[in-house]
């Protein structure tokens, strides 16, 4: 997805499907989260998304990825948009934490350079 209008297009299309509610599309993470009523089909969601030119793939650990039908909710991402690869590790080793550490180092380096370089 490239823009907010893509997000709106996917959201509107998926919300119209029977048994689908709570649709959330994250542009930056390119993730779709939704709730399915019992008996609703994940395949219908995948077909609708594919018709718009995108690919929907259930994340590892989700009901759809295990081959089962969701019994109430199917989430395409974690509760806080966390990367599934970071699950189970310490918080300070997650991808997001590493970005924060790198940004902190850059800001600290720039602050030290402000003392060393003439104004």
């Amino acid at each position: 997805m490239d823009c907010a209008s893509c997000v709106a297009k996917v959201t509107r299309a998926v919300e119209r499907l029977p048994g689908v509610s709570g649709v959330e599309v994250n542009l930056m993470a390119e993730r779709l989260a939704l709730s399915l009523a019992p008996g609703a089909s994940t395949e219908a969601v995948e077909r609708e998304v594919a018709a718009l030119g995108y690919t929907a793939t259930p994340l590892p650990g989700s009901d759809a990825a295990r081959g089962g039908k969701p019994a109430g909710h199917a989430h395409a991402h974690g509760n806080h948009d966390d990367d599934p690869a970071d699950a189970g590790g310490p918080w300070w080793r997650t991808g997001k934490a590493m970005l924060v550490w790198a940004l902190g180092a850059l800001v600290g380096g720039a602050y030290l350079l402000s003392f060393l370089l003439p104004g």
Side-chain angles (χ1 to χ4, degrees), residues 7-119:
V7 170
K9 181 171 53 172
V10 170
T11 302
R12 281 191 308 269
V14 174
E15 282 177 333
R16 290 190 298 234
L17 294 172
V20 174
S21 64
V23 177
E24 296 178 25
V25 179
N26 183 319
L27 173 63
M28 299 308 289
E30 294 186 342
R31 301 257 172 106
L32 165 67
L34 52 89
S35 296
L36 290 176
S41 168
T42 57
E43 291 82 15
V45 174
E46 292 175 20
R47 279 193 306 272
E48 189 68 27
V49 171
L52 296 171
Y54 303 104
T55 303
T57 306
L59 292 178
S62 69
D63 290 337
R66 288 190 293 270
K69 297 291 183 198
H73 292 90
H75 296 285
H77 63 78
N79 290 339
H80 302 288
D81 291 335
D82 291 332
D83 186 350
D86 292 336
W91 67 266
W92 50 270
R93 296 283 307 213
T94 63
K96 289 179 186 178
M98 296 305 255
L99 290 174
V100 171
W101 293 121
L103 180 58
L106 287 173
V107 170
Y111 180 70
L112 291 175
L113 280 176
S114 71
F115 290 113
L116 300 174
L117 297 176

